[in-house]
mmCIF file of all heavy atoms in Angstrom:
data_model
loop_
_atom_site.group_PDB
_atom_site.id
_atom_site.type_symbol
_atom_site.label_atom_id
_atom_site.label_comp_id
_atom_site.label_asym_id
_atom_site.label_seq_id
_atom_site.Cartn_x
_atom_site.Cartn_y
_atom_site.Cartn_z
ATOM 1 N N MET C 636 10.844 33.700 17.049
ATOM 2 C CA MET C 636 10.112 34.201 18.213
ATOM 3 C C MET C 636 9.064 33.177 18.608
ATOM 4 O O MET C 636 8.326 32.663 17.761
ATOM 5 C CB MET C 636 9.435 35.531 17.895
ATOM 6 C CG MET C 636 10.381 36.636 17.469
ATOM 7 S SD MET C 636 11.512 37.150 18.777
ATOM 8 C CE MET C 636 10.377 37.933 19.926
ATOM 9 N N LYS C 637 8.990 32.854 19.915
ATOM 10 C CA LYS C 637 8.037 31.877 20.410
ATOM 11 C C LYS C 637 7.506 32.331 21.763
ATOM 12 O O LYS C 637 8.027 33.275 22.355
ATOM 13 C CB LYS C 637 8.696 30.491 20.551
ATOM 14 C CG LYS C 637 9.049 29.806 19.237
ATOM 15 C CD LYS C 637 9.802 28.494 19.442
ATOM 16 C CE LYS C 637 9.042 27.499 20.279
ATOM 17 N NZ LYS C 637 7.726 27.130 19.717
ATOM 18 N N ASN C 638 6.458 31.643 22.231
ATOM 19 C CA ASN C 638 6.008 31.847 23.614
ATOM 20 C C ASN C 638 6.009 30.548 24.408
ATOM 21 O O ASN C 638 5.721 30.549 25.595
ATOM 22 C CB ASN C 638 4.633 32.525 23.656
ATOM 23 C CG ASN C 638 3.558 31.742 22.932
ATOM 24 O OD1 ASN C 638 3.248 30.612 23.290
ATOM 25 N ND2 ASN C 638 2.983 32.327 21.887
ATOM 26 N N VAL C 639 6.325 29.435 23.734
ATOM 27 C CA VAL C 639 6.498 28.131 24.398
ATOM 28 C C VAL C 639 7.777 27.518 23.850
ATOM 29 O O VAL C 639 7.982 27.486 22.638
ATOM 30 C CB VAL C 639 5.314 27.178 24.114
ATOM 31 C CG1 VAL C 639 5.596 25.798 24.717
ATOM 32 C CG2 VAL C 639 4.018 27.732 24.661
ATOM 33 N N VAL C 640 8.653 27.051 24.736
ATOM 34 C CA VAL C 640 9.839 26.325 24.291
ATOM 35 C C VAL C 640 9.815 24.951 24.938
ATOM 36 O O VAL C 640 9.723 24.825 26.159
ATOM 37 C CB VAL C 640 11.139 27.089 24.608
ATOM 38 C CG1 VAL C 640 11.274 27.362 26.107
ATOM 39 C CG2 VAL C 640 12.349 26.337 24.083
ATOM 40 N N ASP C 641 9.860 23.923 24.106
ATOM 41 C CA ASP C 641 9.851 22.539 24.591
ATOM 42 C C ASP C 641 11.289 22.102 24.806
ATOM 43 O O ASP C 641 12.072 22.027 23.848
ATOM 44 C CB ASP C 641 9.147 21.647 23.561
ATOM 45 C CG ASP C 641 9.219 20.183 23.932
ATOM 46 O OD1 ASP C 641 9.161 19.888 25.137
ATOM 47 O OD2 ASP C 641 9.342 19.337 23.016
ATOM 48 N N ILE C 642 11.655 21.815 26.051
ATOM 49 C CA ILE C 642 13.033 21.490 26.402
ATOM 50 C C ILE C 642 13.142 19.995 26.661
ATOM 51 O O ILE C 642 12.499 19.454 27.563
ATOM 52 C CB ILE C 642 13.490 22.292 27.630
ATOM 53 C CG1 ILE C 642 13.246 23.787 27.390
ATOM 54 C CG2 ILE C 642 14.959 22.031 27.923
ATOM 55 C CD1 ILE C 642 13.660 24.658 28.546
ATOM 56 N N LEU C 643 13.954 19.326 25.866
ATOM 57 C CA LEU C 643 14.133 17.885 25.990
ATOM 58 C C LEU C 643 15.058 17.554 27.153
ATOM 59 O O LEU C 643 15.812 18.404 27.616
ATOM 60 C CB LEU C 643 14.706 17.315 24.690
ATOM 61 C CG LEU C 643 13.713 16.943 23.591
ATOM 62 C CD1 LEU C 643 12.988 18.163 23.068
ATOM 63 C CD2 LEU C 643 14.430 16.233 22.438
ATOM 64 N N PRO C 644 15.037 16.289 27.637
ATOM 65 C CA PRO C 644 15.964 15.885 28.695
ATOM 66 C C PRO C 644 17.415 16.142 28.298
ATOM 67 O O PRO C 644 17.804 15.946 27.147
ATOM 68 C CB PRO C 644 15.688 14.383 28.837
ATOM 69 C CG PRO C 644 14.278 14.220 28.387
ATOM 70 C CD PRO C 644 14.084 15.223 27.294
ATOM 71 N N MET C 645 18.199 16.619 29.252
ATOM 72 C CA MET C 645 19.619 16.924 29.092
ATOM 73 C C MET C 645 19.885 18.125 28.196
ATOM 74 O O MET C 645 21.034 18.421 27.872
ATOM 75 C CB MET C 645 20.395 15.708 28.555
ATOM 76 C CG MET C 645 20.490 14.568 29.541
ATOM 77 S SD MET C 645 21.667 13.316 29.027
ATOM 78 C CE MET C 645 23.199 14.220 29.167
ATOM 79 N N GLU C 646 18.873 18.831 27.823
ATOM 80 C CA GLU C 646 19.035 19.928 26.875
ATOM 81 C C GLU C 646 19.212 21.263 27.604
ATOM 82 O O GLU C 646 18.624 21.484 28.662
ATOM 83 C CB GLU C 646 17.813 19.985 25.953
ATOM 84 C CG GLU C 646 17.962 20.872 24.752
ATOM 85 C CD GLU C 646 16.837 20.642 23.749
ATOM 86 O OE1 GLU C 646 16.988 19.740 22.891
ATOM 87 O OE2 GLU C 646 15.829 21.356 23.804
ATOM 88 N N THR C 647 19.987 22.149 27.025
ATOM 89 C CA THR C 647 20.143 23.512 27.518
ATOM 90 C C THR C 647 19.662 24.464 26.432
ATOM 91 O O THR C 647 20.172 24.433 25.305
ATOM 92 C CB THR C 647 21.604 23.834 27.867
ATOM 93 O OG1 THR C 647 22.046 22.962 28.901
ATOM 94 C CG2 THR C 647 21.737 25.274 28.351
ATOM 95 N N ASP C 648 18.677 25.289 26.737
ATOM 96 C CA ASP C 648 18.153 26.252 25.774
ATOM 97 C C ASP C 648 18.239 27.647 26.357
ATOM 98 O O ASP C 648 18.095 27.848 27.577
ATOM 99 C CB ASP C 648 16.703 25.922 25.406
ATOM 100 C CG ASP C 648 16.607 24.720 24.477
ATOM 101 O OD1 ASP C 648 17.408 24.643 23.546
ATOM 102 O OD2 ASP C 648 15.744 23.859 24.702
ATOM 103 N N THR C 649 18.453 28.628 25.473
ATOM 104 C CA THR C 649 18.590 30.018 25.882
ATOM 105 C C THR C 649 17.517 30.860 25.218
ATOM 106 O O THR C 649 17.351 30.812 24.000
ATOM 107 C CB THR C 649 19.982 30.555 25.509
ATOM 108 O OG1 THR C 649 20.981 29.745 26.115
ATOM 109 C CG2 THR C 649 20.141 31.990 25.991
ATOM 110 N N LEU C 650 16.797 31.610 26.041
ATOM 111 C CA LEU C 650 15.747 32.507 25.569
ATOM 112 C C LEU C 650 16.127 33.931 25.930
ATOM 113 O O LEU C 650 16.875 34.154 26.885
ATOM 114 C CB LEU C 650 14.403 32.193 26.241
ATOM 115 C CG LEU C 650 14.087 30.760 26.651
ATOM 116 C CD1 LEU C 650 12.814 30.736 27.476
ATOM 117 C CD2 LEU C 650 13.951 29.888 25.414
ATOM 118 N N GLU C 651 15.587 34.882 25.200
ATOM 119 C CA GLU C 651 15.742 36.274 25.604
ATOM 120 C C GLU C 651 14.526 37.065 25.149
ATOM 121 O O GLU C 651 13.953 36.792 24.091
ATOM 122 C CB GLU C 651 17.030 36.880 25.050
ATOM 123 C CG GLU C 651 17.153 36.907 23.558
ATOM 124 C CD GLU C 651 18.472 37.534 23.099
ATOM 125 O OE1 GLU C 651 19.423 37.581 23.903
ATOM 126 O OE2 GLU C 651 18.547 37.968 21.928
ATOM 127 N N PHE C 652 14.112 38.013 25.993
ATOM 128 C CA PHE C 652 12.965 38.838 25.651
ATOM 129 C C PHE C 652 13.165 40.243 26.176
ATOM 130 O O PHE C 652 13.921 40.484 27.131
ATOM 131 C CB PHE C 652 11.662 38.234 26.203
ATOM 132 C CG PHE C 652 11.558 38.199 27.701
ATOM 133 C CD1 PHE C 652 10.972 39.236 28.415
ATOM 134 C CD2 PHE C 652 12.027 37.105 28.420
ATOM 135 C CE1 PHE C 652 10.857 39.201 29.794
ATOM 136 C CE2 PHE C 652 11.924 37.052 29.798
ATOM 137 C CZ PHE C 652 11.342 38.101 30.490
ATOM 138 N N ALA C 653 12.477 41.174 25.523
ATOM 139 C CA ALA C 653 12.525 42.569 25.936
ATOM 140 C C ALA C 653 11.486 42.797 27.017
ATOM 141 O O ALA C 653 10.295 42.499 26.832
ATOM 142 C CB ALA C 653 12.250 43.482 24.739
ATOM 143 N N ALA C 654 11.904 43.312 28.141
ATOM 144 C CA ALA C 654 10.990 43.617 29.245
ATOM 145 C C ALA C 654 10.291 44.935 28.921
ATOM 146 O O ALA C 654 10.863 46.011 29.098
ATOM 147 C CB ALA C 654 11.756 43.707 30.554
ATOM 148 N N SER C 655 9.070 44.838 28.452
ATOM 149 C CA SER C 655 8.374 46.030 27.957
ATOM 150 C C SER C 655 6.994 46.210 28.560
ATOM 151 O O SER C 655 6.200 46.998 28.063
ATOM 152 C CB SER C 655 8.251 45.950 26.428
ATOM 153 O OG SER C 655 7.594 44.747 26.050
ATOM 154 N N GLU C 656 6.695 45.466 29.619
ATOM 155 C CA GLU C 656 5.344 45.472 30.184
ATOM 156 C C GLU C 656 5.343 46.060 31.598
ATOM 157 O O GLU C 656 6.247 46.780 32.004
ATOM 158 C CB GLU C 656 4.795 44.044 30.204
ATOM 159 C CG GLU C 656 4.636 43.412 28.841
ATOM 160 C CD GLU C 656 3.546 44.045 28.029
ATOM 161 O OE1 GLU C 656 2.630 44.637 28.629
ATOM 162 O OE2 GLU C 656 3.608 43.973 26.798
ATOM 163 N N SER C 657 4.347 45.716 32.355
ATOM 164 C CA SER C 657 4.286 45.988 33.784
ATOM 165 C C SER C 657 3.424 44.915 34.420
ATOM 166 O O SER C 657 2.691 44.204 33.731
ATOM 167 C CB SER C 657 3.698 47.380 34.054
ATOM 168 O OG SER C 657 2.349 47.441 33.634
ATOM 169 N N GLY C 658 3.536 44.772 35.727
ATOM 170 C CA GLY C 658 2.710 43.794 36.420
ATOM 171 C C GLY C 658 3.398 42.458 36.599
ATOM 172 O O GLY C 658 4.610 42.306 36.445
ATOM 173 N N ASP C 659 2.599 41.429 36.923
ATOM 174 C CA ASP C 659 3.072 40.069 37.188
ATOM 175 C C ASP C 659 2.745 39.164 36.010
ATOM 176 O O ASP C 659 1.606 39.150 35.523
ATOM 177 C CB ASP C 659 2.393 39.503 38.447
ATOM 178 C CG ASP C 659 2.764 40.273 39.707
ATOM 179 O OD1 ASP C 659 3.893 40.783 39.772
ATOM 180 O OD2 ASP C 659 1.919 40.363 40.618
ATOM 181 N N TRP C 660 3.739 38.358 35.599
ATOM 182 C CA TRP C 660 3.547 37.456 34.456
ATOM 183 C C TRP C 660 4.034 36.062 34.838
ATOM 184 O O TRP C 660 5.143 35.893 35.346
ATOM 185 C CB TRP C 660 4.292 37.977 33.232
ATOM 186 C CG TRP C 660 3.834 39.342 32.812
ATOM 187 C CD1 TRP C 660 4.366 40.541 33.202
ATOM 188 C CD2 TRP C 660 2.728 39.637 31.956
ATOM 189 N NE1 TRP C 660 3.662 41.568 32.613
ATOM 190 C CE2 TRP C 660 2.655 41.056 31.848
ATOM 191 C CE3 TRP C 660 1.799 38.870 31.248
ATOM 192 C CZ2 TRP C 660 1.690 41.705 31.075
ATOM 193 C CZ3 TRP C 660 0.845 39.512 30.473
ATOM 194 C CH2 TRP C 660 0.798 40.909 30.399
ATOM 195 N N PHE C 661 3.204 35.081 34.552
ATOM 196 C CA PHE C 661 3.484 33.698 34.930
ATOM 197 C C PHE C 661 4.427 33.062 33.908
ATOM 198 O O PHE C 661 4.290 33.261 32.703
ATOM 199 C CB PHE C 661 2.175 32.925 34.995
ATOM 200 C CG PHE C 661 2.186 31.736 35.907
ATOM 201 C CD1 PHE C 661 3.263 31.445 36.721
ATOM 202 C CD2 PHE C 661 1.082 30.881 35.964
ATOM 203 C CE1 PHE C 661 3.264 30.348 37.571
ATOM 204 C CE2 PHE C 661 1.069 29.783 36.807
ATOM 205 C CZ PHE C 661 2.157 29.516 37.605
ATOM 206 N N PHE C 662 5.383 32.280 34.400
ATOM 207 C CA PHE C 662 6.297 31.491 33.579
ATOM 208 C C PHE C 662 6.252 30.079 34.134
ATOM 209 O O PHE C 662 6.620 29.851 35.289
ATOM 210 C CB PHE C 662 7.711 32.079 33.668
ATOM 211 C CG PHE C 662 8.759 31.304 32.918
ATOM 212 C CD1 PHE C 662 8.640 31.082 31.552
ATOM 213 C CD2 PHE C 662 9.880 30.810 33.579
ATOM 214 C CE1 PHE C 662 9.622 30.384 30.864
ATOM 215 C CE2 PHE C 662 10.865 30.110 32.897
ATOM 216 C CZ PHE C 662 10.737 29.899 31.531
ATOM 217 N N HIS C 663 5.790 29.118 33.337
ATOM 218 C CA HIS C 663 5.534 27.792 33.905
ATOM 219 C C HIS C 663 5.577 26.713 32.844
ATOM 220 O O HIS C 663 5.496 26.980 31.642
ATOM 221 C CB HIS C 663 4.153 27.764 34.580
ATOM 222 C CG HIS C 663 3.005 27.997 33.636
ATOM 223 N ND1 HIS C 663 2.359 26.976 32.989
ATOM 224 C CD2 HIS C 663 2.397 29.134 33.230
ATOM 225 C CE1 HIS C 663 1.390 27.476 32.226
ATOM 226 N NE2 HIS C 663 1.401 28.795 32.350
ATOM 227 N N CYS C 664 5.708 25.466 33.318
ATOM 228 C CA CYS C 664 5.576 24.308 32.437
ATOM 229 C C CYS C 664 4.114 24.167 32.054
ATOM 230 O O CYS C 664 3.226 24.249 32.907
ATOM 231 C CB CYS C 664 6.065 23.049 33.154
ATOM 232 S SG CYS C 664 5.890 21.541 32.162
ATOM 233 N N HIS C 665 3.847 23.935 30.766
ATOM 234 C CA HIS C 665 2.462 23.868 30.313
ATOM 235 C C HIS C 665 1.891 22.456 30.296
ATOM 236 O O HIS C 665 0.787 22.241 29.812
ATOM 237 C CB HIS C 665 2.298 24.511 28.935
ATOM 238 C CG HIS C 665 1.033 25.297 28.809
ATOM 239 N ND1 HIS C 665 -0.207 24.698 28.752
ATOM 240 C CD2 HIS C 665 0.801 26.620 28.757
ATOM 241 C CE1 HIS C 665 -1.144 25.624 28.641
ATOM 242 N NE2 HIS C 665 -0.561 26.804 28.652
ATOM 243 N N ILE C 666 2.628 21.481 30.826
ATOM 244 C CA ILE C 666 1.968 20.219 31.172
ATOM 245 C C ILE C 666 1.155 20.521 32.421
ATOM 246 O O ILE C 666 1.709 20.886 33.458
ATOM 247 C CB ILE C 666 2.982 19.101 31.405
ATOM 248 C CG1 ILE C 666 3.696 18.764 30.087
ATOM 249 C CG2 ILE C 666 2.313 17.849 31.982
ATOM 250 C CD1 ILE C 666 4.790 17.724 30.221
#
Side-chain angles (χ1 to χ4, degrees):
M636 301 294 292
K637 290 175 58 59
N638 59 61
V639 175
V640 58
D641 174 35
I642 307 180
L643 274 65
M645 292 192 67
E646 192 168 273
T647 299
D648 285 317
T649 303
L650 329 171
E651 61 180 21
F652 66 92
S655 56
E656 297 291 336
S657 65
D659 296 328
W660 300 92
F661 206 6
F662 177 58
H663 63 91
C664 178
H665 219 289
I666 293 176

